[in-house]
Amino acid sequence: MKIVFATNNHNKIAEIKDLLPCEIQILSLKEINCNNELPETQNTLEGNAVQKAEFVFTNYGYNCFADDTGLEIEGLNNEPGVYSARYAGVHCSPEENMQKALQKLEGKNNRKAKFRTVIALIMDGKILLFEGECKGEITKEKAGEKGFGYDPIFRPSGFDKTFAQMSKSEKGVISHRGIATRKLVEFLQES
Ligand code: IMP
């Protein structure tokens, strides 16, 4: 079975290849000669994941899946959510995004937050969604050097360290993306 992962992120492709048996061949966008910027103009994670997968299925004819992730902070009405990558502006850095979240939370007691990942799979024209979430809270200060994005300010529930203080494998067991990915892998293995 050949299936396209609609992402340009090599780490994500390598990660899922490690989890799947070799009968399921994962193709990158580059491998199907897709050099387009994928559309991502919806205002929900589900909407964006489906939009990206549908773009590949419609234009290239491959079964395909795509993911979208957001950080939802309870005390900020679930901001930044679907806008997590560009919270502080279109070309902003992860540092600027984290500073914006920390500033907006100043003086608030509720620092609960969760990461949510949605994976949309299109198989023979049928759409399926797989979701993973990781609950935790936003710390008052950054801690840790590992990971990416908001990892230094997110402490998962039940742990006394941030995602940025965890190894990749430690994070993968409890992370939103790890959970959603394992659900997808289980489905593909049974198909
Ligand atoms: P994407 O949909 O995977 O590209 O994620 C969108 C944005 O959410 C990223 O640019 C990061 O800012 C943030 N993000 C996604 N996953 C994580 C994570 O595991 N840790 C920290 N930030 C993340």
Side-chain angles (χ1 to χ4, degrees):
M1 185 201 306
K2 280 186 181 173
I3 188 154
V4 174
F5 187 179
T7 181
N8 288 311
N9 184 324
H10 302 295
N11 292 323
K12 287 185 182 177
I13 297 211
E15 206 174 272
I16 199 152
K17 274 187 176 169
D18 278 351
L19 291 171
L20 283 168
C22 48
E23 308 89 76
I24 303 174
Q25 195 188 344
I26 298 293
L27 300 173
S28 65
L29 290 172
K30 212 170 151 198
E31 283 168 308
I32 60 164
N33 292 318
C34 170
N35 299 306
N36 306 76
E37 181 87 25
L38 297 187
E40 210 173 339
T41 57
Q42 305 302 302
N43 58 9
T44 60
L45 299 176
E46 289 79 1
N48 275 340
V50 169
Q51 188 180 24
K52 288 186 277 186
E54 261 178 348
F55 181 86
V56 171
F57 184 75
T58 308
N59 292 288
Y60 294 86
Y62 284 95
N63 288 331
C64 172
F65 62 91
D67 70 342
D68 205 29
T69 296
L71 172 65
E72 300 175 345
I73 303 174
E74 226 177 74
L76 301 181
N77 297 318
N78 290 333
E79 279 185 21
V82 73
Y83 304 107
S84 294
R86 50 201 152 108
Y87 193 33
V90 180
H91 299 296
C92 60
S93 64
E95 180 61 39
E96 289 167 319
N97 284 334
M98 283 189 285
Q99 287 312 325
K100 180 168 178 180
L102 289 177
Q103 271 163 19
K104 288 191 88 165
L105 277 172
E106 262 171 34
K108 293 194 191 279
N109 290 327
N110 182 1
R111 303 185 73 91
K112 283 188 204 155
K114 69 178 178 215
F115 274 110
R116 208 159 65 80
T117 293
V118 176
I119 297 177
L121 168 70
I122 306 202
M123 282 268 265
D124 307 321
K126 238 176 45 198
I127 301 174
L128 292 134
L129 296 179
F130 303 88
E131 190 176 323
E133 65 172 43
C134 180
K135 290 188 176 151
E137 60 178 19
I138 302 299
T139 54
K140 295 212 162 133
E141 286 168 6
K142 293 192 297 167
E145 305 288 329
K146 301 188 187 84
F148 68 100
Y150 297 86
D151 279 350
I153 60 166
F154 183 81
R155 183 168 49 227
S157 301
F159 290 82
D160 58 4
K161 53 187 174 181
T162 67
F163 266 168
Q165 293 171 301
M166 293 183 168
S167 68
K168 221 185 246 179
S169 57
E170 202 178 356
K171 179 183 166 188
V173 174
I174 55 165
S175 85
H176 42 295
R177 197 172 9 265
I179 293 167
T181 304
R182 284 191 291 277
K183 287 182 186 171
L184 169 75
V185 166
E186 213 170 284
F187 175 83
L188 290 175
Q189 282 173 327
E190 285 166 5
S191 302

Coordinates of all heavy atoms in Angstrom, one line a residue, residues 58-147:
T58 N -7.1 15.0 -4.5 CA -7.8 15.5 -5.7 C -6.8 15.8 -6.8 O -7.0 15.4 -8.0 CB -8.5 16.8 -5.4 OG1 -9.3 16.6 -4.2 CG2 -9.4 17.3 -6.5
N59 N -5.6 16.4 -6.5 CA -4.7 16.8 -7.6 C -3.7 15.7 -8.0 O -3.1 15.8 -9.0 CB -4.0 18.0 -7.1 CG -4.9 19.2 -7.0 OD1 -5.4 19.7 -8.1 ND2 -5.2 19.6 -5.8
Y60 N -3.4 14.8 -7.1 CA -2.4 13.8 -7.4 C -2.9 12.3 -7.4 O -2.2 11.4 -7.8 CB -1.2 13.9 -6.4 CG -0.5 15.2 -6.6 CD1 -1.0 16.4 -5.9 CD2 0.6 15.3 -7.4 CE1 -0.3 17.6 -6.1 CE2 1.2 16.6 -7.6 CZ 0.8 17.7 -7.0 OH 1.4 18.9 -7.2
G61 N -4.1 12.1 -6.9 CA -4.8 10.8 -6.9 C -4.3 9.8 -6.0 O -4.5 8.6 -6.1
Y62 N -3.5 10.2 -5.0 CA -3.0 9.2 -4.0 C -3.8 9.2 -2.7 O -4.3 10.3 -2.3 CB -1.6 9.6 -3.5 CG -0.5 9.3 -4.5 CD1 -0.1 10.3 -5.4 CD2 0.1 8.0 -4.5 CE1 1.0 10.0 -6.3 CE2 1.1 7.8 -5.4 CZ 1.6 8.8 -6.3 OH 2.6 8.5 -7.2
N63 N -4.0 8.1 -2.1 CA -4.5 8.0 -0.7 C -3.5 8.8 0.1 O -2.3 8.8 -0.1 CB -4.6 6.6 -0.2 CG -5.7 5.8 -0.8 OD1 -6.7 6.4 -1.2 ND2 -5.5 4.5 -0.9
C64 N -4.0 9.5 1.1 CA -3.1 10.5 1.7 C -3.6 10.9 3.1 O -4.8 10.7 3.5 CB -3.3 11.8 0.9 SG -2.5 13.2 1.5
F65 N -2.7 11.3 4.0 CA -3.1 11.8 5.3 C -2.3 13.1 5.6 O -1.2 13.3 5.0 CB -3.0 10.8 6.4 CG -1.6 10.3 6.7 CD1 -0.7 11.0 7.6 CD2 -1.1 9.2 6.1 CE1 0.5 10.5 7.9 CE2 0.2 8.7 6.3 CZ 1.0 9.4 7.2
A66 N -2.9 14.0 6.4 CA -2.3 15.2 6.8 C -2.6 15.5 8.2 O -3.6 15.0 8.7 CB -2.8 16.4 5.9
D67 N -1.7 16.3 8.9 CA -2.0 16.6 10.3 C -2.0 18.1 10.6 O -1.5 18.9 9.8 CB -1.0 15.9 11.2 CG 0.4 16.5 11.1 OD1 0.7 17.2 10.1 OD2 1.2 16.3 12.0
D68 N -2.6 18.4 11.7 CA -2.6 19.8 12.1 C -2.6 19.8 13.6 O -3.4 19.0 14.2 CB -3.8 20.6 11.5 CG -3.4 22.1 11.5 OD1 -2.2 22.5 11.3 OD2 -4.3 23.0 11.6
T69 N -1.8 20.7 14.2 CA -1.7 20.7 15.7 C -1.9 22.1 16.2 O -1.5 23.1 15.6 CB -0.3 20.2 16.1 OG1 -0.2 18.8 15.7 CG2 -0.1 20.3 17.6
G70 N -2.5 22.2 17.4 CA -2.6 23.5 18.1 C -2.5 23.4 19.6 O -2.8 22.4 20.1
L71 N -2.1 24.5 20.2 CA -2.0 24.6 21.6 C -3.3 25.4 22.1 O -3.4 26.5 21.6 CB -0.7 25.3 22.1 CG -0.6 25.7 23.6 CD1 -0.6 24.4 24.4 CD2 0.6 26.5 23.8
E72 N -4.1 24.8 23.0 CA -5.3 25.5 23.4 C -5.1 25.8 24.9 O -5.1 24.9 25.7 CB -6.5 24.6 23.2 CG -6.6 24.3 21.7 CD -7.8 23.3 21.3 OE1 -8.3 22.6 22.2 OE2 -8.1 23.2 20.1
I73 N -5.1 27.1 25.2 CA -4.9 27.6 26.6 C -6.2 28.1 27.1 O -6.9 29.0 26.6 CB -3.9 28.8 26.6 CG1 -2.5 28.3 26.0 CG2 -3.6 29.2 28.1 CD1 -1.5 29.4 25.8
E74 N -6.7 27.4 28.2 CA -8.0 27.6 28.7 C -8.3 29.0 29.1 O -9.3 29.6 28.7 CB -8.2 26.7 30.0 CG -9.5 25.9 30.0 CD -9.6 25.0 31.2 OE1 -9.9 25.5 32.3 OE2 -9.5 23.8 30.9
G75 N -7.4 29.6 29.8 CA -7.6 31.0 30.3 C -7.5 32.1 29.2 O -7.8 33.2 29.5
L76 N -7.1 31.6 28.0 CA -7.1 32.6 26.9 C -8.1 32.2 25.8 O -7.9 32.4 24.6 CB -5.7 32.6 26.2 CG -4.5 33.0 27.2 CD1 -3.2 33.0 26.4 CD2 -4.7 34.4 27.8
N77 N -9.3 31.6 26.3 CA -10.3 31.2 25.4 C -9.8 30.3 24.3 O -10.2 30.4 23.1 CB -11.0 32.4 24.7 CG -11.7 33.3 25.7 OD1 -12.3 32.8 26.7 ND2 -11.5 34.6 25.6
N78 N -8.9 29.4 24.7 CA -8.4 28.4 23.8 C -7.4 28.9 22.7 O -7.2 28.2 21.7 CB -9.5 27.5 23.2 CG -10.1 26.6 24.2 OD1 -9.4 26.2 25.2 ND2 -11.3 26.2 24.0
E79 N -7.0 30.1 22.9 CA -5.9 30.7 22.0 C -4.6 29.9 22.3 O -4.5 29.4 23.4 CB -5.7 32.2 22.3 CG -6.6 33.1 21.7 CD -6.2 34.6 21.9 OE1 -5.0 34.8 22.2 OE2 -7.1 35.4 21.9
P80 N -3.7 29.8 21.4 CA -3.7 30.2 20.0 C -4.4 29.2 19.1 O -4.6 29.6 18.0 CB -2.2 30.4 19.7 CG -1.5 29.5 20.6 CD -2.3 29.4 21.9
G81 N -4.6 28.0 19.6 CA -5.3 27.0 18.8 C -4.8 26.9 17.4 O -3.6 26.6 17.2
V82 N -5.7 27.0 16.4 CA -5.3 26.7 15.0 C -4.2 27.8 14.5 O -3.6 27.5 13.5 CB -6.6 26.7 14.1 CG1 -7.1 28.1 13.9 CG2 -6.3 26.0 12.8
Y83 N -4.1 28.9 15.3 CA -3.1 29.9 14.9 C -1.8 29.8 15.6 O -1.0 30.7 15.7 CB -3.7 31.3 15.1 CG -5.0 31.5 14.4 CD1 -6.2 31.5 15.1 CD2 -5.1 31.5 13.0 CE1 -7.4 31.6 14.4 CE2 -6.3 31.6 12.3 CZ -7.4 31.6 13.0 OH -8.6 31.7 12.3
S84 N -1.5 28.6 16.2 CA -0.3 28.4 17.0 C 1.0 28.8 16.4 O 1.9 29.4 17.0 CB -0.2 26.9 17.5 OG -1.3 26.6 18.4
A85 N 1.1 28.4 15.1 CA 2.4 28.7 14.4 C 2.6 30.2 14.2 O 3.8 30.6 14.1 CB 2.4 28.0 13.0
R86 N 1.6 31.0 14.1 CA 1.7 32.4 13.8 C 1.0 33.3 14.8 O 0.4 34.3 14.5 CB 1.3 32.7 12.4 CG -0.1 32.1 12.1 CD -0.4 31.9 10.6 NE -1.3 30.9 10.4 CZ -2.6 31.0 10.0 NH1 -3.1 32.2 9.7 NH2 -3.4 30.0 9.9
Y87 N 1.1 32.9 16.1 CA 0.4 33.6 17.1 C 0.8 35.1 17.2 O 0.0 36.0 17.4 CB 0.6 32.9 18.5 CG -0.3 33.3 19.6 CD1 -1.6 33.7 19.4 CD2 0.2 33.2 20.9 CE1 -2.4 34.0 20.5 CE2 -0.6 33.6 22.0 CZ -1.9 34.0 21.8 OH -2.7 34.3 22.8
A88 N 2.1 35.3 17.2 CA 2.6 36.6 17.4 C 2.8 37.3 16.0 O 3.4 38.4 16.0 CB 4.0 36.6 18.1
G89 N 2.4 36.8 14.9 CA 2.5 37.4 13.6 C 3.0 36.3 12.6 O 3.5 35.3 13.0
V90 N 2.8 36.7 11.3 CA 3.0 35.7 10.3 C 4.4 35.1 10.2 O 4.6 33.9 10.1 CB 2.6 36.3 8.9 CG1 2.9 35.2 7.8 CG2 1.2 36.7 8.9
H91 N 5.4 35.9 10.4 CA 6.8 35.4 10.3 C 7.5 35.4 11.7 O 8.7 35.6 11.8 CB 7.6 36.2 9.3 CG 7.1 36.2 7.9 ND1 7.0 35.0 7.2 CD2 6.5 37.1 7.2 CE1 6.4 35.3 6.0 NE2 6.1 36.5 6.0
C92 N 6.7 35.2 12.7 CA 7.3 35.3 14.1 C 8.0 34.0 14.5 O 7.8 32.9 13.9 CB 6.1 35.5 15.1 SG 5.0 34.2 15.1
S93 N 8.8 34.1 15.5 CA 9.6 33.0 16.0 C 8.9 32.3 17.1 O 8.0 32.9 17.7 CB 11.0 33.5 16.5 OG 10.7 34.3 17.6
P94 N 9.3 31.0 17.4 CA 8.7 30.3 18.5 C 8.9 31.1 19.8 O 8.0 31.2 20.7 CB 9.5 29.0 18.6 CG 10.0 28.8 17.2 CD 10.2 30.2 16.6
E95 N 10.0 31.8 20.0 CA 10.3 32.6 21.1 C 9.2 33.7 21.3 O 8.7 34.0 22.3 CB 11.7 33.2 21.0 CG 12.1 34.1 22.1 CD 12.2 33.4 23.4 OE1 12.6 32.3 23.5 OE2 11.9 34.0 24.5
E96 N 8.9 34.4 20.2 CA 7.9 35.5 20.2 C 6.5 34.9 20.5 O 5.7 35.5 21.3 CB 7.9 36.2 18.8 CG 9.1 37.1 18.6 CD 9.2 37.5 17.2 OE1 9.0 36.7 16.2 OE2 9.6 38.7 17.0
N97 N 6.2 33.7 20.0 CA 4.9 33.1 20.3 C 4.8 32.8 21.8 O 3.8 33.1 22.4 CB 4.7 31.8 19.5 CG 4.4 32.0 18.1 OD1 3.8 33.0 17.7 ND2 4.8 31.1 17.2
M98 N 5.9 32.2 22.4 CA 5.9 31.9 23.8 C 5.7 33.1 24.6 O 5.0 33.2 25.6 CB 7.1 31.1 24.2 CG 7.1 29.7 23.7 SD 8.5 28.8 24.4 CE 9.9 29.4 23.4
Q99 N 6.5 34.2 24.3 CA 6.4 35.4 25.1 C 5.0 36.0 25.0 O 4.5 36.5 26.1 CB 7.4 36.5 24.5 CG 8.9 36.2 24.9 CD 9.1 35.8 26.3 OE1 8.5 36.3 27.2 NE2 10.0 34.8 26.6
K100 N 4.3 35.9 23.9 CA 3.0 36.5 23.8 C 2.0 35.7 24.7 O 1.3 36.3 25.5 CB 2.5 36.4 22.4 CG 1.1 36.9 22.2 CD 0.6 37.1 20.8 CE -0.8 37.6 20.7 NZ -1.3 37.8 19.4
A101 N 2.2 34.4 24.7 CA 1.3 33.5 25.6 C 1.6 33.8 27.1 O 0.7 34.0 27.9 CB 1.5 32.0 25.3
L102 N 2.9 33.9 27.4 CA 3.2 34.2 28.8 C 2.7 35.6 29.3 O 2.2 35.7 30.4 CB 4.8 34.1 29.0 CG 5.4 32.7 28.9 CD1 6.9 32.8 29.1 CD2 4.8 31.8 30.0
Q103 N 2.8 36.6 28.4 CA 2.4 37.9 28.7 C 0.9 37.9 28.9 O 0.3 38.5 29.9 CB 2.7 38.9 27.7 CG 4.1 39.5 27.9 CD 4.7 40.2 26.7 OE1 4.0 40.5 25.7 NE2 6.0 40.4 26.6
K104 N 0.1 37.3 28.0 CA -1.3 37.3 28.1 C -1.8 36.5 29.3 O -2.9 36.8 29.8 CB -2.0 36.7 26.8 CG -1.8 37.6 25.6 CD -2.6 37.2 24.5 CE -4.0 37.8 24.5 NZ -4.8 37.7 23.3
L105 N -1.0 35.6 29.9 CA -1.4 34.9 31.0 C -1.0 35.5 32.4 O -1.4 35.1 33.4 CB -0.8 33.5 31.0 CG -1.5 32.4 30.2 CD1 -0.7 31.2 30.0 CD2 -2.9 32.1 30.8
E106 N -0.2 36.6 32.3 CA 0.2 37.3 33.5 C -1.0 37.7 34.4 O -2.0 38.2 33.8 CB 1.0 38.6 33.2 CG 2.5 38.3 33.2 CD 3.3 39.5 32.7 OE1 2.9 40.6 32.8 OE2 4.4 39.2 32.0
G107 N -1.0 37.3 35.6 CA -2.1 37.7 36.6 C -3.2 36.7 36.5 O -4.2 36.9 37.3
K108 N -3.2 35.8 35.6 CA -4.3 34.8 35.5 C -4.0 33.6 36.3 O -2.8 33.1 36.3 CB -4.6 34.4 34.1 CG -5.2 35.5 33.2 CD -5.8 35.0 31.9 CE -6.1 36.1 30.9 NZ -7.3 36.7 31.1
N109 N -5.0 33.0 37.1 CA -4.7 31.8 37.9 C -4.8 30.5 37.0 O -4.1 29.6 37.3 CB -5.7 31.7 39.0 CG -5.4 32.8 40.0 OD1 -4.2 33.2 40.2 ND2 -6.4 33.3 40.7
N110 N -5.7 30.5 36.1 CA -6.0 29.3 35.3 C -4.9 29.2 34.2 O -5.0 30.0 33.2 CB -7.4 29.4 34.7 CG -7.7 28.1 33.9 OD1 -6.8 27.2 33.8 ND2 -8.8 28.0 33.3
R111 N -4.0 28.3 34.3 CA -2.9 28.2 33.3 C -3.0 26.8 32.6 O -2.1 26.4 31.9 CB -1.5 28.3 34.0 CG -1.4 29.6 34.7 CD 0.0 29.8 35.2 NE 1.0 30.1 34.2 CZ 1.4 31.3 33.8 NH1 0.8 32.4 34.3 NH2 2.3 31.5 32.8
K112 N -4.2 26.2 32.8 CA -4.4 24.9 32.1 C -4.4 25.0 30.6 O -4.9 26.0 30.0 CB -5.8 24.3 32.5 CG -5.9 23.7 33.9 CD -7.2 23.1 34.0 CE -7.6 23.0 35.5 NZ -9.0 22.9 35.7
A113 N -3.8 24.0 29.9 CA -3.7 24.0 28.5 C -3.7 22.6 27.9 O -3.5 21.7 28.7 CB -2.5 24.8 28.1
K114 N -3.9 22.5 26.6 CA -3.7 21.2 26.0 C -3.3 21.3 24.6 O -3.6 22.3 23.9 CB -5.0 20.3 26.1 CG -6.1 20.7 25.3 CD -7.3 19.7 25.4 CE -8.4 20.2 24.6 NZ -9.7 19.9 25.2
F115 N -2.4 20.4 24.2 CA -2.1 20.3 22.8 C -3.0 19.3 22.1 O -3.4 18.3 22.7 CB -0.7 19.7 22.6 CG 0.5 20.7 22.7 CD1 1.3 20.7 23.7 CD2 0.6 21.6 21.6 CE1 2.3 21.7 23.8 CE2 1.7 22.5 21.7 CZ 2.5 22.5 22.7
R116 N -3.5 19.6 20.9 CA -4.4 18.7 20.2 C -3.9 18.6 18.8 O -3.5 19.5 18.1 CB -5.8 19.4 20.2 CG -6.9 18.4 20.1 CD -8.2 19.0 20.6 NE -8.7 20.1 19.8 CZ -9.3 19.9 18.6 NH1 -9.6 18.7 18.2 NH2 -9.7 21.0 17.9
T117 N -3.8 17.3 18.4 CA -3.4 17.0 17.0 C -4.6 16.3 16.3 O -5.2 15.4 16.9 CB -2.2 16.0 16.9 OG1 -1.1 16.7 17.4 CG2 -1.9 15.5 15.5
V118 N -4.9 16.7 15.1 CA -5.9 16.0 14.3 C -5.2 15.5 13.0 O -4.5 16.3 12.3 CB -7.1 16.9 13.9 CG1 -8.0 16.2 13.0 CG2 -7.8 17.4 15.1
I119 N -5.4 14.2 12.7 CA -4.8 13.6 11.5 C -6.1 13.3 10.6 O -7.0 12.6 11.1 CB -4.0 12.4 11.7 CG1 -2.8 12.7 12.5 CG2 -3.6 11.7 10.4 CD1 -1.9 11.5 12.9
A120 N -6.1 13.8 9.4 CA -7.1 13.4 8.4 C -6.6 12.5 7.4 O -5.5 12.8 6.8 CB -7.7 14.7 7.7
L121 N -7.2 11.3 7.2 CA -6.8 10.3 6.3 C -7.9 10.2 5.2 O -9.1 10.2 5.5 CB -6.7 9.0 7.0 CG -6.5 7.7 6.1 CD1 -5.1 7.7 5.4 CD2 -6.7 6.5 6.9
I122 N -7.4 10.3 3.9 CA -8.4 10.0 2.8 C -8.0 8.7 2.1 O -6.9 8.6 1.6 CB -8.4 11.2 1.8 CG1 -8.6 12.5 2.5 CG2 -9.4 10.9 0.7 CD1 -9.2 13.6 1.7
M123 N -8.8 7.8 2.3 CA -8.6 6.4 1.7 C -9.7 6.2 0.7 O -10.8 6.1 1.1 CB -8.6 5.3 2.7 CG -7.4 5.3 3.6 SD -6.2 4.1 2.9 CE -6.6 2.7 3.8
D124 N -9.3 6.0 -0.6 CA -10.3 5.8 -1.6 C -11.5 6.7 -1.6 O -12.7 6.3 -1.7 CB -10.8 4.3 -1.5 CG -9.7 3.3 -1.5 OD1 -8.7 3.6 -2.2 OD2 -9.7 2.4 -0.7
G125 N -11.2 8.0 -1.3 CA -12.2 9.0 -1.3 C -13.0 9.2 0.1 O -13.7 10.1 0.2
K126 N -12.7 8.2 1.0 CA -13.4 8.3 2.3 C -12.5 9.1 3.3 O -11.3 8.8 3.4 CB -13.7 6.9 2.8 CG -15.2 6.7 3.1 CD -15.6 5.4 3.5 CE -14.8 4.7 4.6 NZ -15.1 3.2 4.6
I127 N -13.1 10.0 4.1 CA -12.3 10.8 5.1 C -12.4 10.2 6.5 O -13.6 9.9 6.9 CB -12.8 12.2 5.1 CG1 -12.6 12.9 3.7 CG2 -12.0 13.0 6.1 CD1 -13.2 14.3 3.6
L128 N -11.3 10.0 7.1 CA -11.3 9.5 8.5 C -10.5 10.4 9.4 O -9.4 10.9 8.9 CB -10.8 8.1 8.6 CG -11.6 7.0 8.0 CD1 -10.8 6.1 7.1 CD2 -12.3 6.2 9.0
L129 N -10.9 10.7 10.6 CA -10.1 11.6 11.5 C -9.6 10.8 12.7 O -10.3 10.0 13.3 CB -11.0 12.7 12.0 CG -11.5 13.7 10.9 CD1 -12.4 14.8 11.6 CD2 -10.4 14.4 10.2
F130 N -8.3 11.1 13.1 CA -7.7 10.5 14.3 C -7.2 11.7 15.1 O -6.6 12.6 14.6 CB -6.5 9.6 13.9 CG -6.9 8.5 12.9 CD1 -6.9 8.8 11.5 CD2 -7.4 7.3 13.3 CE1 -7.3 7.8 10.6 CE2 -7.8 6.3 12.4 CZ -7.8 6.6 11.1
E131 N -7.5 11.6 16.4 CA -7.2 12.7 17.3 C -6.3 12.3 18.5 O -6.5 11.2 19.0 CB -8.5 13.4 17.8 CG -8.2 14.7 18.4 CD -9.5 15.4 18.8 OE1 -10.5 15.3 18.1 OE2 -9.5 16.1 19.9
G132 N -5.5 13.2 18.9 CA -4.7 12.9 20.1 C -4.6 14.2 20.9 O -4.5 15.3 20.3
E133 N -4.7 14.1 22.2 CA -4.5 15.3 23.0 C -3.6 15.1 24.2 O -3.5 13.9 24.7 CB -5.8 16.0 23.4 CG -6.7 15.2 24.3 CD -7.9 16.0 24.8 OE1 -8.5 16.7 24.0 OE2 -8.2 15.9 26.0
C134 N -2.9 16.1 24.7 CA -2.1 16.0 25.9 C -2.4 17.2 26.7 O -2.2 18.4 26.3 CB -0.6 16.0 25.4 SG 0.5 15.9 26.9
K135 N -2.9 16.9 27.9 CA -3.3 18.0 28.9 C -2.1 18.4 29.7 O -1.3 17.5 30.1 CB -4.5 17.5 29.7 CG -5.7 17.4 29.0 CD -6.9 17.1 29.9 CE -8.2 17.1 29.1 NZ -9.2 16.3 29.6
G136 N -2.1 19.7 30.2 CA -1.1 20.1 31.0 C -1.3 21.5 31.4 O -2.4 22.0 31.5
E137 N -0.2 22.2 31.7 CA -0.3 23.7 32.0 C 0.9 24.5 31.5 O 1.9 23.9 31.2 CB -0.5 23.9 33.5 CG 0.6 23.4 34.4 CD 0.4 23.7 35.8 OE1 -0.8 23.9 36.2 OE2 1.4 23.6 36.6
I138 N 0.6 25.8 31.4 CA 1.6 26.7 30.9 C 2.4 27.2 32.1 O 1.9 27.7 33.1 CB 1.0 27.9 30.2 CG1 0.2 27.4 29.0 CG2 2.1 28.9 29.7 CD1 0.9 26.6 27.9
T139 N 3.7 26.9 32.1 CA 4.6 27.3 33.2 C 4.7 28.9 33.2 O 4.4 29.5 32.3 CB 6.0 26.7 33.0 OG1 6.5 27.1 31.7 CG2 5.9 25.2 33.1
K140 N 5.3 29.4 34.3 CA 5.5 30.9 34.4 C 6.7 31.3 33.6 O 6.8 32.4 33.2 CB 5.6 31.3 35.9 CG 4.2 31.0 36.6 CD 3.9 32.0 37.6 CE 2.4 32.0 38.0 NZ 2.1 32.0 39.4
E141 N 7.7 30.3 33.5 CA 8.9 30.6 32.8 C 9.3 29.5 31.9 O 8.9 28.4 32.2 CB 10.1 30.8 33.9 CG 10.0 32.1 34.6 CD 11.0 32.1 35.8 OE1 11.8 31.1 35.9 OE2 10.9 33.1 36.6
K142 N 10.2 29.8 31.0 CA 10.6 28.7 30.1 C 11.6 27.8 30.8 O 12.3 28.2 31.7 CB 11.4 29.3 28.9 CG 10.6 30.1 28.0 CD 11.3 30.5 26.7 CE 12.6 31.3 27.0 NZ 13.5 31.4 25.9
A143 N 11.6 26.5 30.4 CA 12.5 25.5 31.0 C 12.8 24.4 30.0 O 11.9 23.9 29.4 CB 12.0 24.9 32.3
G144 N 14.1 24.1 29.8 CA 14.5 23.1 28.8 C 14.9 23.6 27.5 O 14.5 24.7 27.1
E145 N 15.7 22.7 26.8 CA 16.3 23.1 25.5 C 15.8 22.2 24.4 O 16.1 22.5 23.2 CB 17.8 23.0 25.6 CG 18.5 23.8 26.7 CD 18.4 25.2 26.5 OE1 18.5 25.6 25.3 OE2 18.4 26.0 27.5
K146 N 15.2 21.1 24.7 CA 14.8 20.1 23.7 C 13.5 20.5 23.0 O 12.9 21.5 23.4 CB 14.7 18.7 24.3 CG 16.0 18.2 25.0 CD 15.8 16.8 25.3 CE 16.9 16.3 26.2 NZ 16.8 16.5 27.6
G147 N 13.1 19.7 22.0 CA 11.8 19.9 21.3 C 11.8 21.1 20.4 O 12.8 21.6 19.9

